[in-house]
Amino acid sequence: MDKGILVVVSGFSGAGKGTIMKRITEKYDNYALSISATTRAPRKGEEEGKSYFFVSKPRFEEMIDSDELVEYAKYVDNYYGTPRKFVEDCLNQGKDVILEIEIQGALKIKKKFPNSLLIFMTPPSAEELRNRLIGRNTEDEETVNKRLGRAIVESEGVEAYDYILVNADIDTCTEKLHNLIRASHDRVEAHLDLIEKIRKDLRRIEDAASNIQ
Ligand code: 5GP
């Protein structure tokens, strides 16, 4: 069985990543969504172990020290990190694991897992981004402004990603993401073993033919 691939989805806060993640995991069963650990306080409606594992700062630091995280980063005053065990178990079971993480973490993943797929999601315009963040009603104005500021910084690292996904429509965006992940399974690196085997077999056939002549 082929190993799964690691898919990183980043993007502006308010790009609609959460909605797309929900949709793609509901529609297709080969995706596993990694649940991060964070020191941020839960927002209204967020559930422990579903949205995040909400942990204290000392516990997070313990996770860093004991290498329990594949990557971690600090984002707007809080720590966020990807628990290692779930990711490795799912990849070994052949599942594609989606990490919804910010750019510092994304770059660490690309370094550790060169075959990972990095996707940056954006709404069609800055205006739309602001409206979505305000409309979400989960943050106060100061936090919304901090997040918009951070969005500017994040967009500067975008060249490191493999694809940009414009989220103007949920269904279209979900399908596009699914297709990009499917296609990624057929990258050259994923099939080098097969090509090597075909080369060996071709040489054998060539040798056998030259022995006959
Ligand atoms: P939020 O507080 O809105 O849930 O998340 C803030 C940012 O942290 C988002 O950009 C989200 O993608 C990112 N994030 C969530 N989990 C992780 C993680 O495990 N690692 C990293 N590096 N970023 C994360």
Side-chain angles (χ1 to χ4, degrees), residues 112-198:
K112 278 193 190 167
F113 303 85
N115 291 348
S116 57
L117 174 65
L118 264 55
I119 293 177
F120 192 90
M121 201 183 287
T122 177
S125 69
E127 209 30 50
E128 174 82 21
L129 184 67
R130 187 161 185 276
N131 291 342
R132 283 189 200 175
L133 271 184
I134 292 168
R136 197 156 80 174
N137 241 335
T138 50
E139 266 106 351
D140 56 34
E141 199 178 329
E142 193 196 333
T143 310
V144 167
N145 287 337
K146 262 192 180 177
R147 279 169 182 260
L148 287 173
R150 176 74 196 221
I152 300 173
V153 176
E154 294 218 325
S155 64
E156 280 160 15
V158 84
E159 291 82 359
Y161 285 73
D162 296 307
Y163 294 98
I164 304 281
L165 204 51
V166 180
N167 180 15
D169 169 81
I170 294 169
D171 288 327
T172 313
C173 189
T174 305
E175 282 318 289
K176 265 197 173 174
L177 179 59
H178 175 65
N179 290 336
L180 288 175
I181 299 172
R182 292 281 90 217
S184 207
H185 276 269
D186 291 326
R187 275 182 178 170
V188 168
E189 313 92 74
H191 292 305
L192 283 180
D193 287 354
L194 172 68
I195 297 300
E196 195 44 45
K197 182 178 180 307
I198 292 178

Side-chain angles (χ1 to χ4, degrees), residues 36 40 43 52 71 73 75 80-82 100-102 105 147:
S36 299
R40 158 165 91 56
R43 290 188 194 122
Y52 281 106
E71 62 73 39
Y75 181 93
Y80 296 82
T82 306
E100 193 213 308
I101 63 176
E102 51 65 76
R147 279 169 182 260

Side-chain angles (χ1 to χ4, degrees), residues 38-50:
T38 183
T39 58
R40 158 165 91 56
R43 290 188 194 122
K44 213 172 154 229
E46 284 185 334
E47 278 178 59
E48 164 69 17
K50 273 196 170 171

Side-chain angles (χ1 to χ4, degrees), residues 9-14 17 34-38 40-41 43 46 51-52 54 60 69 71-76 78-83 99-109 133 136 138-139 143 147 150 154:
V9 177
S10 307
F12 297 126
S13 184
K17 287 166 289 176
S34 161
I35 296 166
S36 299
T38 183
R40 158 165 91 56
R43 290 188 194 122
E46 284 185 334
S51 320
Y52 281 106
F54 295 99
F60 198 97
L69 303 172
E71 62 73 39
Y72 69 93
K74 207 167 185 194
Y75 181 93
V76 192
N78 284 299
Y79 280 120
Y80 296 82
T82 306
L99 312 181
E100 193 213 308
I101 63 176
E102 51 65 76
I103 190 157
Q104 306 166 61
L107 300 182
K108 286 183 202 156
I109 291 289
L133 271 184
R136 197 156 80 174
T138 50
E139 266 106 351
T143 310
R147 279 169 182 260
R150 176 74 196 221
E154 294 218 325

